[in-house]
PDB file of all heavy atoms in Angstrom:
ATOM      1  N   PHE S   1      -7.806  -1.328   3.014  1.00 93.00           N
ATOM      2  CA  PHE S   1      -8.920  -2.065   3.412  1.00 93.00           C
ATOM      3  C   PHE S   1      -8.605  -2.912   4.600  1.00 93.00           C
ATOM      4  O   PHE S   1      -7.604  -3.625   4.611  1.00 93.00           O
ATOM      5  CB  PHE S   1      -9.402  -3.006   2.305  1.00 93.00           C
ATOM      6  CG  PHE S   1     -10.752  -3.708   2.563  1.00 93.00           C
ATOM      7  CD1 PHE S   1     -11.873  -3.030   2.432  1.00 93.00           C
ATOM      8  CD2 PHE S   1     -10.722  -4.881   3.021  1.00 93.00           C
ATOM      9  CE1 PHE S   1     -13.201  -3.630   2.703  1.00 93.00           C
ATOM     10  CE2 PHE S   1     -11.905  -5.649   3.448  1.00 93.00           C
ATOM     11  CZ  PHE S   1     -13.124  -4.896   3.157  1.00 93.00           C
ATOM     12  N   VAL S   2      -9.443  -2.766   5.594  1.00 92.00           N
ATOM     13  CA  VAL S   2      -9.079  -3.371   6.917  1.00 92.00           C
ATOM     14  C   VAL S   2      -9.928  -4.594   7.193  1.00 92.00           C
ATOM     15  O   VAL S   2     -11.152  -4.631   6.851  1.00 92.00           O
ATOM     16  CB  VAL S   2      -9.394  -2.323   8.085  1.00 92.00           C
ATOM     17  CG1 VAL S   2      -9.174  -2.913   9.509  1.00 92.00           C
ATOM     18  CG2 VAL S   2      -8.349  -1.133   7.945  1.00 92.00           C
ATOM     19  N   THR S   3      -9.292  -5.622   7.832  1.00 95.00           N
ATOM     20  CA  THR S   3     -10.154  -6.706   8.223  1.00 95.00           C
ATOM     21  C   THR S   3      -9.665  -7.032   9.689  1.00 95.00           C
ATOM     22  O   THR S   3      -8.605  -6.693  10.210  1.00 95.00           O
ATOM     23  CB  THR S   3      -9.695  -8.003   7.395  1.00 95.00           C
ATOM     24  OG1 THR S   3      -8.318  -8.370   7.594  1.00 95.00           O
ATOM     25  CG2 THR S   3     -10.075  -7.877   6.035  1.00 95.00           C
ATOM     26  N   ILE S   4     -10.671  -7.625  10.399  1.00 94.00           N
ATOM     27  CA  ILE S   4     -10.458  -7.891  11.836  1.00 94.00           C
ATOM     28  C   ILE S   4     -10.917  -9.422  12.059  1.00 94.00           C
ATOM     29  O   ILE S   4     -11.996  -9.675  11.792  1.00 94.00           O
ATOM     30  CB  ILE S   4     -11.126  -6.952  12.755  1.00 94.00           C
ATOM     31  CG1 ILE S   4     -10.546  -5.562  12.558  1.00 94.00           C
ATOM     32  CG2 ILE S   4     -10.909  -7.492  14.210  1.00 94.00           C
ATOM     33  CD1 ILE S   4     -11.341  -4.517  13.454  1.00 94.00           C
ATOM     34  N   ASN S   5      -9.957 -10.160  12.548  1.00 91.00           N
ATOM     35  CA  ASN S   5     -10.348 -11.700  12.896  1.00 91.00           C
ATOM     36  C   ASN S   5      -9.979 -11.865  14.347  1.00 91.00           C
ATOM     37  O   ASN S   5      -8.816 -12.065  14.605  1.00 91.00           O
ATOM     38  CB  ASN S   5      -9.425 -12.583  11.981  1.00 91.00           C
ATOM     39  CG  ASN S   5      -9.848 -13.911  12.187  1.00 91.00           C
ATOM     40  OD1 ASN S   5     -10.763 -14.379  12.839  1.00 91.00           O
ATOM     41  ND2 ASN S   5      -8.929 -14.838  11.626  1.00 91.00           N
ATOM     42  N   GLY S   6     -10.935 -11.770  15.175  1.00 89.00           N
ATOM     43  CA  GLY S   6     -10.807 -11.968  16.537  1.00 89.00           C
ATOM     44  C   GLY S   6      -9.991 -10.933  17.073  1.00 89.00           C
ATOM     45  O   GLY S   6     -10.540  -9.742  17.166  1.00 89.00           O
ATOM     46  N   ASN S   7      -8.652 -11.031  17.607  1.00 88.00           N
ATOM     47  CA  ASN S   7      -7.965 -10.082  18.112  1.00 88.00           C
ATOM     48  C   ASN S   7      -6.780  -9.629  17.082  1.00 88.00           C
ATOM     49  O   ASN S   7      -5.769  -9.071  17.615  1.00 88.00           O
ATOM     50  CB  ASN S   7      -7.327 -10.598  19.460  1.00 88.00           C
ATOM     51  CG  ASN S   7      -8.282 -10.898  20.445  1.00 88.00           C
ATOM     52  OD1 ASN S   7      -9.507 -10.395  20.391  1.00 88.00           O
ATOM     53  ND2 ASN S   7      -7.862 -11.786  21.452  1.00 88.00           N
ATOM     54  N   GLU S   8      -7.043  -9.968  15.871  1.00 88.00           N
ATOM     55  CA  GLU S   8      -5.848  -9.640  14.955  1.00 88.00           C
ATOM     56  C   GLU S   8      -6.532  -8.663  13.928  1.00 88.00           C
ATOM     57  O   GLU S   8      -7.339  -8.861  13.396  1.00 88.00           O
ATOM     58  CB  GLU S   8      -5.521 -10.993  14.287  1.00 88.00           C
ATOM     59  CG  GLU S   8      -4.234 -10.800  13.322  1.00 88.00           C
ATOM     60  CD  GLU S   8      -3.951 -12.150  12.699  1.00 88.00           C
ATOM     61  OE1 GLU S   8      -4.433 -12.467  11.791  1.00 88.00           O
ATOM     62  OE2 GLU S   8      -2.866 -12.635  13.183  1.00 88.00           O
ATOM     63  N   LEU S   9      -5.585  -7.685  13.582  1.00 92.00           N
ATOM     64  CA  LEU S   9      -5.904  -6.646  12.532  1.00 92.00           C
ATOM     65  C   LEU S   9      -5.171  -7.031  11.276  1.00 92.00           C
ATOM     66  O   LEU S   9      -4.025  -7.160  11.283  1.00 92.00           O
ATOM     67  CB  LEU S   9      -5.625  -5.304  13.110  1.00 92.00           C
ATOM     68  CG  LEU S   9      -5.903  -4.087  12.019  1.00 92.00           C
ATOM     69  CD1 LEU S   9      -7.247  -3.811  11.917  1.00 92.00           C
ATOM     70  CD2 LEU S   9      -5.002  -2.809  12.460  1.00 92.00           C
ATOM     71  N   GLY S  10      -5.988  -7.061  10.214  1.00 93.00           N
ATOM     72  CA  GLY S  10      -5.316  -7.294   8.764  1.00 93.00           C
ATOM     73  C   GLY S  10      -5.630  -6.062   7.974  1.00 93.00           C
ATOM     74  O   GLY S  10      -6.499  -5.196   8.279  1.00 93.00           O
ATOM     75  N   ALA S  11      -4.691  -5.917   7.032  1.00 91.00           N
ATOM     76  CA  ALA S  11      -4.937  -4.736   6.240  1.00 91.00           C
ATOM     77  C   ALA S  11      -4.383  -5.054   4.754  1.00 91.00           C
ATOM     78  O   ALA S  11      -3.436  -5.897   4.527  1.00 91.00           O
ATOM     79  CB  ALA S  11      -4.079  -3.564   6.664  1.00 91.00           C
ATOM     80  N   GLN S  12      -5.139  -4.683   3.707  1.00 91.00           N
ATOM     81  CA  GLN S  12      -4.713  -4.796   2.312  1.00 91.00           C
ATOM     82  C   GLN S  12      -4.430  -3.218   2.055  1.00 91.00           C
ATOM     83  O   GLN S  12      -5.118  -2.392   2.215  1.00 91.00           O
ATOM     84  CB  GLN S  12      -5.940  -5.155   1.447  1.00 91.00           C
ATOM     85  CG  GLN S  12      -6.281  -6.638   1.832  1.00 91.00           C
ATOM     86  CD  GLN S  12      -7.371  -7.134   0.961  1.00 91.00           C
ATOM     87  OE1 GLN S  12      -7.294  -7.016  -0.338  1.00 91.00           O
ATOM     88  NE2 GLN S  12      -8.411  -7.615   1.459  1.00 91.00           N
ATOM     89  N   ILE S  13      -3.233  -3.094   1.394  1.00 85.00           N
ATOM     90  CA  ILE S  13      -2.714  -1.828   1.058  1.00 85.00           C
ATOM     91  C   ILE S  13      -2.367  -1.668  -0.331  1.00 85.00           C
ATOM     92  O   ILE S  13      -1.584  -2.623  -0.811  1.00 85.00           O
ATOM     93  CB  ILE S  13      -1.529  -1.438   1.937  1.00 85.00           C
ATOM     94  CG1 ILE S  13      -1.893  -1.520   3.386  1.00 85.00           C
ATOM     95  CG2 ILE S  13      -0.874  -0.022   1.570  1.00 85.00           C
ATOM     96  CD1 ILE S  13      -0.622  -1.403   4.287  1.00 85.00           C
ATOM     97  N   SER S  14      -2.730  -0.684  -1.069  1.00 87.00           N
ATOM     98  CA  SER S  14      -2.311  -0.498  -2.515  1.00 87.00           C
ATOM     99  C   SER S  14      -2.228   0.944  -2.670  1.00 87.00           C
ATOM    100  O   SER S  14      -3.065   1.830  -2.630  1.00 87.00           O
ATOM    101  CB  SER S  14      -3.401  -0.891  -3.447  1.00 87.00           C
ATOM    102  OG  SER S  14      -3.088  -0.860  -4.732  1.00 87.00           O
ATOM    103  N   ILE S  15      -0.883   1.303  -2.975  1.00 80.00           N
ATOM    104  CA  ILE S  15      -0.513   2.819  -2.874  1.00 80.00           C
ATOM    105  C   ILE S  15       0.511   2.948  -3.913  1.00 80.00           C
ATOM    106  O   ILE S  15       1.449   2.076  -4.136  1.00 80.00           O
ATOM    107  CB  ILE S  15       0.068   3.166  -1.463  1.00 80.00           C
ATOM    108  CG1 ILE S  15       0.068   4.645  -1.369  1.00 80.00           C
ATOM    109  CG2 ILE S  15       1.304   2.501  -1.022  1.00 80.00           C
ATOM    110  CD1 ILE S  15       0.108   5.149  -0.044  1.00 80.00           C
ATOM    111  N   ARG S  16       0.498   4.202  -4.552  1.00 80.00           N
ATOM    112  CA  ARG S  16       1.506   4.450  -5.600  1.00 80.00           C
ATOM    113  C   ARG S  16       2.881   4.732  -4.853  1.00 80.00           C
ATOM    114  O   ARG S  16       2.851   5.395  -3.751  1.00 80.00           O
ATOM    115  CB  ARG S  16       1.068   5.805  -6.393  1.00 80.00           C
ATOM    116  CG  ARG S  16      -0.103   5.460  -7.156  1.00 80.00           C
ATOM    117  CD  ARG S  16      -0.471   6.699  -8.000  1.00 80.00           C
ATOM    118  NE  ARG S  16      -0.877   7.861  -7.110  1.00 80.00           N
ATOM    119  CZ  ARG S  16      -1.302   9.013  -7.493  1.00 80.00           C
ATOM    120  NH1 ARG S  16      -1.434   9.215  -8.760  1.00 80.00           N
ATOM    121  NH2 ARG S  16      -1.581   9.953  -6.607  1.00 80.00           N
ATOM    122  N   ALA S  17       3.950   4.297  -5.475  1.00 74.00           N
ATOM    123  CA  ALA S  17       5.288   4.434  -4.868  1.00 74.00           C
ATOM    124  C   ALA S  17       5.625   5.956  -4.639  1.00 74.00           C
ATOM    125  O   ALA S  17       6.189   6.252  -3.528  1.00 74.00           O
ATOM    126  CB  ALA S  17       6.396   3.814  -5.805  1.00 74.00           C
ATOM    127  N   GLU S  18       5.255   6.845  -5.587  1.00 73.00           N
ATOM    128  CA  GLU S  18       5.690   8.200  -5.525  1.00 73.00           C
ATOM    129  C   GLU S  18       4.844   8.887  -4.396  1.00 73.00           C
ATOM    130  O   GLU S  18       5.265   9.927  -3.785  1.00 73.00           O
ATOM    131  CB  GLU S  18       5.411   9.007  -6.780  1.00 73.00           C
ATOM    132  CG  GLU S  18       3.982   8.868  -7.227  1.00 73.00           C
ATOM    133  CD  GLU S  18       3.741   7.791  -8.315  1.00 73.00           C
ATOM    134  OE1 GLU S  18       4.265   6.840  -8.280  1.00 73.00           O
ATOM    135  OE2 GLU S  18       2.931   8.068  -9.269  1.00 73.00           O
ATOM    136  N   ASP S  19       3.720   8.382  -3.909  1.00 71.00           N
ATOM    137  CA  ASP S  19       2.995   8.859  -2.839  1.00 71.00           C
ATOM    138  C   ASP S  19       3.609   8.593  -1.385  1.00 71.00           C
ATOM    139  O   ASP S  19       3.198   9.230  -0.460  1.00 71.00           O
ATOM    140  CB  ASP S  19       1.634   8.220  -2.772  1.00 71.00           C
ATOM    141  CG  ASP S  19       0.724   8.755  -3.910  1.00 71.00           C
ATOM    142  OD1 ASP S  19       1.156   9.715  -4.520  1.00 71.00           O
ATOM    143  OD2 ASP S  19      -0.302   8.172  -4.218  1.00 71.00           O
ATOM    144  N   ILE S  20       4.679   7.674  -1.434  1.00 61.00           N
ATOM    145  CA  ILE S  20       5.215   7.593  -0.150  1.00 61.00           C
ATOM    146  C   ILE S  20       6.819   7.926  -0.220  1.00 61.00           C
ATOM    147  O   ILE S  20       7.618   7.432   0.363  1.00 61.00           O
ATOM    148  CB  ILE S  20       5.249   6.149   0.352  1.00 61.00           C
ATOM    149  CG1 ILE S  20       5.699   5.135  -0.643  1.00 61.00           C
ATOM    150  CG2 ILE S  20       3.758   5.843   0.729  1.00 61.00           C
ATOM    151  CD1 ILE S  20       5.832   3.670  -0.137  1.00 61.00           C
ATOM    152  N   GLY S  21       6.986   8.852  -1.264  1.00 61.00           N
ATOM    153  CA  GLY S  21       8.492   9.333  -1.391  1.00 61.00           C
ATOM    154  C   GLY S  21       9.340   8.685  -2.473  1.00 61.00           C
ATOM    155  O   GLY S  21      10.495   9.141  -2.508  1.00 61.00           O
ATOM    156  N   LEU S  22       8.852   7.655  -2.973  1.00 63.00           N
ATOM    157  CA  LEU S  22       9.766   6.701  -3.941  1.00 63.00           C
ATOM    158  C   LEU S  22       9.566   7.316  -5.281  1.00 63.00           C
ATOM    159  O   LEU S  22       9.034   6.533  -6.188  1.00 63.00           O
ATOM    160  CB  LEU S  22       9.445   5.335  -3.777  1.00 63.00           C
ATOM    161  CG  LEU S  22       9.574   4.612  -2.295  1.00 63.00           C
ATOM    162  CD1 LEU S  22       9.056   3.219  -2.320  1.00 63.00           C
ATOM    163  CD2 LEU S  22      11.105   4.665  -1.875  1.00 63.00           C
ATOM    164  N   VAL S  23      10.105   8.415  -5.575  1.00 68.00           N
ATOM    165  CA  VAL S  23       9.833   9.141  -6.819  1.00 68.00           C
ATOM    166  C   VAL S  23      10.475   8.379  -7.997  1.00 68.00           C
ATOM    167  O   VAL S  23       9.875   8.238  -9.098  1.00 68.00           O
ATOM    168  CB  VAL S  23      10.474  10.553  -6.799  1.00 68.00           C
ATOM    169  CG1 VAL S  23      10.280  11.269  -8.138  1.00 68.00           C
ATOM    170  CG2 VAL S  23       9.799  11.325  -5.619  1.00 68.00           C
ATOM    171  N   ARG S  24      11.638   7.757  -7.803  1.00 69.00           N
ATOM    172  CA  ARG S  24      12.318   6.990  -8.791  1.00 69.00           C
ATOM    173  C   ARG S  24      11.380   5.782  -9.192  1.00 69.00           C
ATOM    174  O   ARG S  24      11.639   5.133 -10.297  1.00 69.00           O
ATOM    175  CB  ARG S  24      13.705   6.382  -8.285  1.00 69.00           C
ATOM    176  CG  ARG S  24      14.780   7.562  -8.265  1.00 69.00           C
ATOM    177  CD  ARG S  24      15.984   6.992  -7.855  1.00 69.00           C
ATOM    178  NE  ARG S  24      16.092   6.540  -6.473  1.00 69.00           N
ATOM    179  CZ  ARG S  24      17.041   5.939  -5.959  1.00 69.00           C
ATOM    180  NH1 ARG S  24      18.207   5.755  -6.589  1.00 69.00           N
ATOM    181  NH2 ARG S  24      17.104   5.524  -4.630  1.00 69.00           N
ATOM    182  N   LEU S  25      10.378   5.441  -8.369  1.00 72.00           N
ATOM    183  CA  LEU S  25       9.563   4.278  -8.895  1.00 72.00           C
ATOM    184  C   LEU S  25       8.190   4.817  -9.299  1.00 72.00           C
ATOM    185  O   LEU S  25       7.161   4.008  -9.245  1.00 72.00           O
ATOM    186  CB  LEU S  25       9.384   3.369  -7.595  1.00 72.00           C
ATOM    187  CG  LEU S  25      10.693   2.588  -7.183  1.00 72.00           C
ATOM    188  CD1 LEU S  25      10.435   1.817  -5.908  1.00 72.00           C
ATOM    189  CD2 LEU S  25      11.367   1.724  -8.279  1.00 72.00           C
ATOM    190  N   ARG S  26       8.144   5.973  -9.817  1.00 80.00           N
ATOM    191  CA  ARG S  26       6.926   6.715 -10.192  1.00 80.00           C
ATOM    192  C   ARG S  26       6.136   5.675 -11.249  1.00 80.00           C
ATOM    193  O   ARG S  26       6.803   5.067 -12.202  1.00 80.00           O
ATOM    194  CB  ARG S  26       7.165   7.975 -10.800  1.00 80.00           C
ATOM    195  CG  ARG S  26       5.859   8.675 -11.278  1.00 80.00           C
ATOM    196  CD  ARG S  26       6.243  10.003 -11.867  1.00 80.00           C
ATOM    197  NE  ARG S  26       6.926  10.837 -10.948  1.00 80.00           N
ATOM    198  CZ  ARG S  26       6.203  11.635 -10.122  1.00 80.00           C
ATOM    199  NH1 ARG S  26       4.885  11.580 -10.076  1.00 80.00           N
ATOM    200  NH2 ARG S  26       6.839  12.411  -9.197  1.00 80.00           N
ATOM    201  N   GLY S  27       4.945   5.452 -11.033  1.00 84.00           N
ATOM    202  CA  GLY S  27       4.134   4.644 -11.892  1.00 84.00           C
ATOM    203  C   GLY S  27       4.025   3.274 -11.428  1.00 84.00           C
ATOM    204  O   GLY S  27       3.195   2.462 -12.055  1.00 84.00           O
ATOM    205  N   ARG S  28       4.768   2.859 -10.427  1.00 83.00           N
ATOM    206  CA  ARG S  28       4.543   1.447  -9.817  1.00 83.00           C
ATOM    207  C   ARG S  28       3.733   1.553  -8.566  1.00 83.00           C
ATOM    208  O   ARG S  28       3.707   2.683  -7.949  1.00 83.00           O
ATOM    209  CB  ARG S  28       6.044   0.859  -9.670  1.00 83.00           C
ATOM    210  CG  ARG S  28       6.712   0.768 -10.854  1.00 83.00           C
ATOM    211  CD  ARG S  28       8.030  -0.240 -10.610  1.00 83.00           C
ATOM    212  NE  ARG S  28       7.690  -1.580 -10.408  1.00 83.00           N
ATOM    213  CZ  ARG S  28       7.429  -2.530 -11.333  1.00 83.00           C
ATOM    214  NH1 ARG S  28       7.562  -2.092 -12.570  1.00 83.00           N
ATOM    215  NH2 ARG S  28       7.095  -3.706 -11.014  1.00 83.00           N
ATOM    216  N   TYR S  29       3.157   0.409  -8.142  1.00 86.00           N
ATOM    217  CA  TYR S  29       2.363   0.328  -7.033  1.00 86.00           C
ATOM    218  C   TYR S  29       2.834  -0.661  -6.049  1.00 86.00           C
ATOM    219  O   TYR S  29       3.351  -1.689  -6.406  1.00 86.00           O
ATOM    220  CB  TYR S  29       0.972  -0.101  -7.336  1.00 86.00           C
ATOM    221  CG  TYR S  29       0.239   0.909  -8.228  1.00 86.00           C
ATOM    222  CD1 TYR S  29       0.433   1.154  -9.625  1.00 86.00           C
ATOM    223  CD2 TYR S  29      -0.735   1.749  -7.573  1.00 86.00           C
ATOM    224  CE1 TYR S  29      -0.172   2.082 -10.340  1.00 86.00           C
ATOM    225  CE2 TYR S  29      -1.226   2.809  -8.327  1.00 86.00           C
ATOM    226  CZ  TYR S  29      -1.086   3.089  -9.701  1.00 86.00           C
ATOM    227  OH  TYR S  29      -1.635   3.961 -10.292  1.00 86.00           O
ATOM    228  N   VAL S  30       2.641  -0.379  -4.780  1.00 79.00           N
ATOM    229  CA  VAL S  30       3.009  -1.201  -3.743  1.00 79.00           C
ATOM    230  C   VAL S  30       1.692  -1.913  -3.177  1.00 79.00           C
ATOM    231  O   VAL S  30       0.800  -1.242  -2.714  1.00 79.00           O
ATOM    232  CB  VAL S  30       3.584  -0.589  -2.434  1.00 79.00           C
ATOM    233  CG1 VAL S  30       3.875  -1.555  -1.350  1.00 79.00           C
ATOM    234  CG2 VAL S  30       4.842   0.160  -2.911  1.00 79.00           C
ATOM    235  N   ASN S  31       1.399  -3.192  -3.526  1.00 87.00           N
ATOM    236  CA  ASN S  31       0.278  -4.029  -3.206  1.00 87.00           C
ATOM    237  C   ASN S  31       0.630  -5.058  -2.154  1.00 87.00           C
ATOM    238  O   ASN S  31       1.334  -6.062  -2.421  1.00 87.00           O
ATOM    239  CB  ASN S  31      -0.228  -4.703  -4.318  1.00 87.00           C
ATOM    240  CG  ASN S  31      -0.789  -3.625  -5.437  1.00 87.00           C
ATOM    241  OD1 ASN S  31      -1.132  -2.629  -5.270  1.00 87.00           O
ATOM    242  ND2 ASN S  31      -0.460  -4.014  -6.813  1.00 87.00           N
TER     243      ASN S  31
END
């Protein structure tokens, strides 16, 4: 989810660890 405040880009990211190759952390989320 993206936010923009003036000239600054903000982002909220929630993704499964295994989706970015961290298989050993399967089932956990990077928020």
Side-chain angles (χ1 to χ4, degrees):
F1 185 84
V2 175
T3 60
I4 299 178
N5 183 15
N7 298 337
E8 184 179 80
L9 177 72
Q12 298 180 49
I13 300 169
S14 184
I15 192 167
R16 292 181 300 185
E18 60 265 32
D19 288 346
I20 56 173
L22 299 173
V23 180
R24 286 185 291 175
L25 297 175
R26 182 180 297 277
R28 297 193 69 87
Y29 291 82
V30 181
N31 296 324

